[in-house]
Amino acid sequence: MDDKAKILLVDDREENLIALEAILSSLDQDLVRARSGEEALKALLTDEYAVILLDVVMPGMDGFETARDIKRRKKTRDLPIIFLTAVNSDPDYAFRGYAAGAVDFISKPFDPWVLRAKVSVFVELHTKNKQLRDQTTLLREQSALLREQSTLLEARPAEESGPAARRALAGRLDELLTPVEEQAELLGKRVPPALRAEVDELDRRLSGLRDALAAEEAPVEGAAAGDVPAGES
């Protein structure tokens, strides 16, 4: 499995793309070229990117139009865009760029250290968010498995689910549920806003499973106490 982040480099000039690749190669990430805004939009249909370096002045669809289209798509609306501009660019570019969804501007010729530092921040953020999404997916799958096991416990015939057996199975489910709850709690402290709804839903599912397990254990304990007839010791 390739854990490298993808960085989209959008510029119509070959020499600029070569310069970007030379500067960013030390980050050891996947650098993907696009020679136009249209080509960049096609690339975003198939792959997930950590950040886009987008030239402002391009023939056909310029950087502002490209950024607006990127931000209109649900899949890419939160994707960070760094605009690349000439030193003597129109001062109005900054306003138009931020209005189109840019997070930053970098002037040509590039300062290698500044460019790498800024890009590396977004790569690290992308990697952490991906790890959190993977953890959320894993916890959701664990929660679903526990819910299935709890359902099986409730559906077992009476002869196969006496007090001792039900108590043992409920204890096993509790052992499985506890670490999942602990992982969910840790995840909730680090989750970015974009994943908050998923984690909240996971918390609700885990709470419901815990309540169901508690309800399942209550009659088990009562049944166990009632195994000894009244008046006998």
Side-chain angles (χ1 to χ4, degrees):
M1 180 179 177
D2 188 2
D3 292 329
K4 292 183 179 181
K6 291 183 179 294
I7 302 169
L8 185 58
L9 314 177
V10 188
D11 200 304
D12 63 301
R13 298 175 65 89
E14 177 71 13
E15 60 269 29
N16 289 337
L17 291 172
I18 292 174
L20 287 171
E21 290 173 334
I23 293 169
L24 298 176
S25 61
S26 62
L27 295 180
D28 193 28
Q29 305 299 326
D30 286 341
L31 306 177
V32 179
R33 287 184 172 201
R35 296 292 297 267
S36 67
E38 293 86 354
E39 191 175 331
L41 293 174
K42 289 180 182 178
L44 293 171
L45 291 174
T46 55
D47 289 309
E48 180 180 350
Y49 291 84
V51 61
I52 302 175
L53 300 184
L54 179 59
D55 186 29
V56 171
V57 182
M58 295 185 293
M61 179 181 284
D62 66 16
F64 299 127
E65 293 176 276
T66 304
R68 281 192 292 270
D69 278 1
I70 291 170
K71 294 300 179 178
R72 275 197 288 261
R73 296 179 179 180
K74 182 178 180 181
K75 180 181 177 182
T76 56
R77 66 177 54 160
D78 296 321
L79 183 56
I81 299 173
I82 298 177
F83 272 128
L84 307 177
T85 64
V87 174
N88 59 348
S89 296
D90 187 329
D92 187 50
Y93 275 11
F95 174 79
R96 293 179 60 192
Y98 288 121
V103 296
D104 206 348
F105 278 82
I106 294 181
S107 297
K108 304 173 185 177
F110 314 116
D111 181 318
W113 188 90
V114 171
L115 181 61
R116 277 194 301 268
K118 290 186 175 183
V119 171
S120 66
V121 168
F122 291 109
V123 168
E124 183 178 2
L125 180 61
H126 171 80
T127 301
K128 289 183 177 179
N129 283 344
K130 186 176 185 300
Q131 291 172 345
L132 287 171
R133 286 199 304 271
D134 292 343
Q135 288 178 316
T136 301
T137 299
L138 177 60
L139 287 171
R140 192 186 304 116
E141 292 171 352
Q142 291 175 325
S143 176
L145 178 59
L146 286 167
R147 201 162 54 249
E148 290 175 8
Q149 292 176 326
S150 179
T151 301
L152 289 174
L153 171 62
E154 296 174 358
R156 297 182 89 185
E159 62 271 17
E160 296 180 10
S161 55
R166 295 176 72 84
R167 186 163 52 248
L169 186 51
R172 176 57 180 157
L173 287 173
D174 179 74
E175 290 177 3
L176 293 172
L177 179 57
T178 298
V180 176
E181 290 173 324
E182 292 173 351
Q183 291 177 53
E185 183 179 0
L186 290 174
L187 184 63
K189 295 177 180 178
R190 298 180 296 168
V191 68
L195 295 177
R196 172 51 59 189
E198 288 193 47
V199 174
D200 288 344
E201 175 60 24
L202 178 61
D203 286 340
R204 284 193 291 272
R205 292 183 182 183
L206 291 175
S207 295
L209 188 56
R210 172 60 70 186
D211 292 342
L213 185 56
E216 184 62 41
E217 289 176 327
V220 170
E221 294 173 358
D227 287 343
V228 180
E232 295 184 14
S233 60

